[in-house]
Structure formats: structure tokens, C-alpha cells
Amino acid sequence: MAEQLPEIELEDRGSKGRYFLRGPNGAEAEMTFTRIGEHKFIIDHTEVPDAFRGQGAGLRLVTRAVEDARASGKKIIPLCPFAAAQFRRHAEWHDVLAS
């Protein structure tokens, strides 16, 4: 089902930003982040409305952040409970986990 989801978009506002999926009827699933310096950022919140539930939207958002962190040499602090749970489930992401 995840293939049917819209493409993830990035909204970057300097020290803060978000990854989001825009769905039917204006529904948005989002994962917000805050930058800490040049090499780290905090995933602070993930919200998936009912329109996206059961489709893997939250996991896709966190996965995109992990991919972007890897590509840019950054580390992630997953303060959001959902993101933290995903990091515990995905040992292959530990290379971007801030210590």
C-alpha cells in the first residue's frame, strides 16, 4: 500500500522543518524536525491522520529523514516517541543515530 501514497515533500525553514505527505481532502501526515548546529537534528513530532493510517506513512517519513541524514552526513536525535520506536526496530539506522 505504501506505493500508493503521494511523494514525500520537504519544507525547510532554516532551523526547523518538516517532511510531509499531502493526501486527499487536504489531509497531511507530517514529521517535524529542529536542527541543532550543522550536524544534528531532532525529530520532534510525527502525526499521521486517519486518512493515512495503516499505510506506512509514518515509517516512510522517518525513513526519508534517515536517508537524507545519511546523504548529508548528519545525525538524528529521535525525541518523538514514534521515531524513537522506529530506531529501536531498525538497527540498520544506528549509523545516523546521535550518541
Side-chain angles (χ1 to χ4, degrees):
M1 269 197 218
E3 302 81 55
Q4 298 171 351
L5 288 172
E7 189 169 328
I8 294 172
E9 297 181 56
L10 171 61
E11 185 175 276
D12 191 343
R13 295 184 175 164
S15 66
K16 294 193 173 274
R18 71 183 185 131
Y19 291 94
F20 65 99
L21 296 162
R22 191 170 285 136
N25 301 323
E28 287 187 352
E30 72 171 356
M31 186 206 72
T32 61
F33 63 88
T34 303
R35 284 193 178 81
I36 300 175
E38 293 183 32
H39 303 291
K40 290 183 187 174
F41 65 93
I42 296 170
I43 295 176
D44 31 44
H45 181 70
T46 305
E47 185 170 339
V48 178
D50 290 340
F52 289 103
R53 295 240 187 255
Q55 300 177 53
L59 177 58
R60 281 191 58 210
L61 292 167
V62 177
T63 300
R64 170 69 187 275
V66 168
E67 292 167 352
D68 287 357
R70 256 191 207 122
S72 62
K74 294 188 167 113
K75 299 288 185 180
I76 298 173
I77 301 168
L79 291 185
C80 162
F82 176 79
Q86 294 307 314
F87 269 87
R88 286 191 298 275
R89 289 184 184 116
H90 294 274
E92 70 274 17
W93 293 354
H94 288 187
D95 62 311
V96 297
L97 185 62
S99 51

